[in-house]
Amino acid sequence: MNSSPWKEILLKEKEYCNQIVLTVKRTNSKFSEEELANHMEPFFTAVTSNHSILFEEKTVLSLFETFVILISKQFFQRIEALDSLFFQIILEIQPDLKKDPILLITYIVNVISKLEDEKKEIFLKRLQSVLLWIQTISEFKLVISLLFWASGKPEYRESLQLEFHTLNESLKKEIKRLFGIDENSIRTAFITFDPNQKTIASFHFRFIPGYTLFGGSFSHLPILYQNGGSIAIQSGKSWYELFIDEFGTSLHTMEPIKSPVKINNSIKSSIWKQIVSQKLETNSISSSIETDSFVVLTLKNSYQLYLFYTGRT
């Protein structure tokens, strides 16, 4: 049975709604009723402002519970001035996708919560720019993951390769136009340098903070190891897996390698040697891993990691 407008439902179930709020307040001293009052109207307006969908009562009550949870976790405080952009995105989502509004909201909230503050607005604006072309829930979820990866989370690239082709053609064209991402570019972390190409390759440099006091993960000087198709780092008794691509860098703890293979402490390629020497003393290299598209290395007296790679721009 179709429901009445959301306000009428919440008023009708006022006692139930109050009980939800009181339950949360008992376990969360920072819960703000002022935040609840300020954001309730824009939240429900964004979700329900579509005359082709009339949500059932149970859906509206579930939305209220979801909304209270967001308030309790101070979600809107953490996105600060971006709340209006967040609500606008919810409002602009295609009507057919809004049949499961809680799922959509959960996808967006989960990603925003994992992003650094300076990347939240970029992520939301990128999502807004492709909303018109997203036709299904599965496409929405995939685009969310794609934009999360493009926000500097290289560990998600490989999983996206298997599903990118499932996006509709109009959406893929728009993603290519706006972000330069297509089925070919998503297959590789960096473009491969071709010495025979007519155009000059674009080389880029990035250093990855290492020392714990400066936001890094290493309490001992790091050493690189090749671990099958991945890159491992040893720092004292701690081990990490390094994920890199053109969009960013990530480190994740891992189990120690039982029989680490001896690593290089010099660069073999004359081209990479020339590029690296413009920034660093090559005779100070303590470990390095080198491919056609990148070289990552450590120095004898440095906690940092140094990455040189070929870029698309």
Side-chain angles (χ1 to χ4, degrees), residues 2 21 93-94 108 115 139 148 154 172 181 189 201 203 218-219 227-228 231 235 242 250-251 264 273 277:
N2 288 334
V21 173
I93 291 174
Q94 296 294 326
I108 300 174
L115 285 173
E139 284 187 340
F148 186 54
K172 283 195 284 189
I181 298 171
F203 292 99
F218 310 138
S219 56
N227 184 32
I231 299 172
S235 173
L242 174 65
S250 293
L251 278 175
N264 296 318
K273 190 176 293 185
S277 65

Side-chain angles (χ1 to χ4, degrees), residues 16-127:
Y16 175 78
C17 294
N18 285 338
Q19 188 60 44
I20 291 174
V21 173
L22 288 172
T23 300
V24 173
K25 285 182 69 176
R26 287 193 195 102
T27 58
N28 187 344
S29 60
K30 294 183 179 180
F31 184 86
S32 171
E33 290 195 36
E34 183 179 355
E35 285 282 313
L36 185 80
N38 289 341
H39 290 101
M40 186 184 301
E41 181 87 28
F43 176 84
F44 277 94
T45 299
V47 175
T48 63
S49 288
N50 189 299
H51 298 296
S52 66
I53 299 176
L54 289 175
F55 292 116
E56 293 183 352
E57 181 175 303
K58 64 179 181 180
T59 302
V60 173
L61 293 176
S62 294
L63 278 167
F64 180 77
E65 189 169 358
T66 299
F67 173 64
V68 170
I69 291 171
L70 292 178
I71 296 295
S72 71
K73 293 183 176 180
Q74 300 179 299
F75 173 74
F76 298 109
Q77 290 183 32
R78 287 188 282 114
I79 63 173
E80 297 180 350
L82 299 178
D83 53 354
S84 59
L85 177 57
F86 173 82
F87 293 134
Q88 186 63 32
I89 287 170
I90 301 298
L91 182 66
E92 293 177 12
I93 291 174
Q94 296 294 326
D96 287 346
L97 276 66
K98 284 190 177 181
K99 292 176 182 178
D100 194 344
I102 296 174
L103 186 61
L104 295 176
I105 292 167
T106 301
Y107 285 152
I108 300 174
V109 168
N110 284 346
V111 169
I112 293 176
S113 299
K114 294 175 183 176
L115 285 173
E116 298 84 353
D117 289 344
E118 66 273 13
K119 295 180 179 179
K120 288 180 169 64
E121 183 175 6
I122 296 172
F123 169 83
L124 287 171
K125 287 184 175 179
R126 284 174 171 174
L127 176 60

Side-chain angles (χ1 to χ4, degrees), residues 93-94 96-97 103-104 107 127 130-147 160 163-173 175:
I93 291 174
Q94 296 294 326
D96 287 346
L97 276 66
L103 186 61
L104 295 176
Y107 285 152
L127 176 60
V130 295
L131 284 177
L132 182 63
W133 290 269
I134 300 175
Q135 298 175 355
T136 66
I137 290 285
S138 59
E139 284 187 340
F140 188 86
K141 182 180 179 181
L142 183 53
V143 168
I144 289 283
S145 299
L146 184 81
L147 297 179
L160 291 168
E163 300 181 73
F164 188 84
H165 72 280
T166 64
L167 298 176
N168 72 73
E169 290 302 317
S170 296
L171 179 55
K172 283 195 284 189
K173 287 179 181 177
I175 289 172

